[in-house]
């Protein structure tokens, strides 16, 4: 599912918010893993983002219930610009 997030405001709102004002798409991959989430979750997110180029500008995010991400997952996400 693609969720469109739009934030708008005037100068007063912009000055008082820590958020950027504008329009962007956010792709989210959520995992119910235990222990470690590996690079497969990041690969899935990258594939979705690559197949949905019409949704730009966009950002990606992997959320997991695991205790941590593998080093491979972290490196792959960093290289793809995923935070």
């Amino acid at each position: 599912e693609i969720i469109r997030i739009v934030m708008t405001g005037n100068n007063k709102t912009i000055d008082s918010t820590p958020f950027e004002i504008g329009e962007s798409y956010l792709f989210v991959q959520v995992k119910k893993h235990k222990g470690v989430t590996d690079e497969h979750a990041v690969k899935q997110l990258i594939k979705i983002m690559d197949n949905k180029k019409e949704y730009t500008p966009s950002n990606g995010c992997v959320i997991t219930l695991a205790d941590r991400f593998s080093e491979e997952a972290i490196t792959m996400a960093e290289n793809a610009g995923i935070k």
Side-chain angles (χ1 to χ4, degrees):
E1 181 177 355
I2 298 169
I3 300 171
R4 183 176 181 194
I5 300 171
V6 179
M7 299 175 68
T8 59
N10 57 31
N11 286 339
K12 275 188 178 176
T13 304
I14 292 170
D15 291 339
S16 65
T17 179
F19 302 105
E20 293 181 21
I21 302 301
E23 185 173 317
S24 182
Y25 296 92
L26 177 63
F27 292 90
V28 180
Q29 180 69 299
V30 180
K31 296 296 183 186
K32 294 192 268 183
H33 293 164
K34 292 182 180 179
V36 178
T37 293
D38 65 17
E39 69 276 7
H40 182 69
V42 179
K43 286 180 184 176
Q44 289 177 321
L45 180 59
I46 291 170
K47 183 177 180 181
I48 293 167
M49 292 176 73
D50 284 346
N51 289 329
K52 299 293 182 179
K53 293 289 187 189
E54 66 271 24
Y55 295 100
T56 56
S58 66
N59 295 293
C61 177
V62 178
I63 298 172
T64 184
L65 295 177
D67 297 326
R68 64 184 182 87
F69 289 97
S70 70
E71 288 301 319
E72 294 84 1
I74 293 169
T75 300
M76 183 178 289
E78 289 173 347
N79 291 340
I82 297 170
K83 308 268 178 191

